[in-house]
Amino acid sequence: MCCVCYTHMASLLSTALEAAAAIVLEEPSLTSPCQKALRRLANALGTPMPTQATFRALLAVLDQRTHPGKFALDKDAWGAHGVSRKSFSAWRRKLNQASLSDETVD
């Protein structure tokens, strides 16, 4: 992938992550605006057709990130959103990897 394409994709991902995190910060529930933001984020992370389970997992990860004192354990975050440990861990890893790669582009 060329440098310009990679930078553009990183920018799209960064924008999608910021928008989703802002919505989750205000109201961590699967409202229509939240689902729209989570869909854009999932698309930016390479998932063209995210499911409700994907939305719940992304919401759990972002809820934990934006409200660090709310969940003492990862289990509390995935349990509160009805997500499996495997799904929570997979999406957290994707977001962490995306965040790291975004930092190297800046």
Side-chain angles (χ1 to χ4, degrees):
M1 183 180 301
C2 73
C3 182
V4 174
C5 295
Y6 182 79
T7 303
H8 179 70
M9 300 241 336
S11 175
L12 288 176
L13 177 59
S14 179
T15 302
L17 180 55
E18 287 173 17
I23 289 174
V24 171
L25 183 61
E26 292 297 317
E27 186 178 345
S29 62
L30 285 177
T31 60
S32 181
C34 185
Q35 274 193 318
K36 188 175 182 179
L38 293 173
R39 179 179 310 281
R40 285 187 180 142
L41 179 56
N43 292 160
L45 289 167
T47 302
M49 297 185 63
T51 64
Q52 286 291 45
T54 300
F55 296 143
R56 286 194 316 272
L58 283 169
L59 180 61
V61 173
L62 290 175
D63 195 11
Q64 185 184 45
R65 276 187 172 191
T66 57
H67 301 98
K70 187 175 178 180
F71 304 106
L73 305 169
D74 290 348
K75 183 177 182 179
D76 298 336
W78 80 64
H81 292 282
V83 178
S84 71
R85 176 179 166 217
K86 182 178 179 181
S87 182
F88 176 86
S89 297
W91 283 104
R92 183 176 59 183
R93 186 172 42 256
K94 280 187 179 189
L95 282 172
N96 287 342
Q97 289 172 344
S99 295
L100 288 175
S101 64
D102 188 37
E103 289 174 7
T104 58
V105 170
D106 292 340

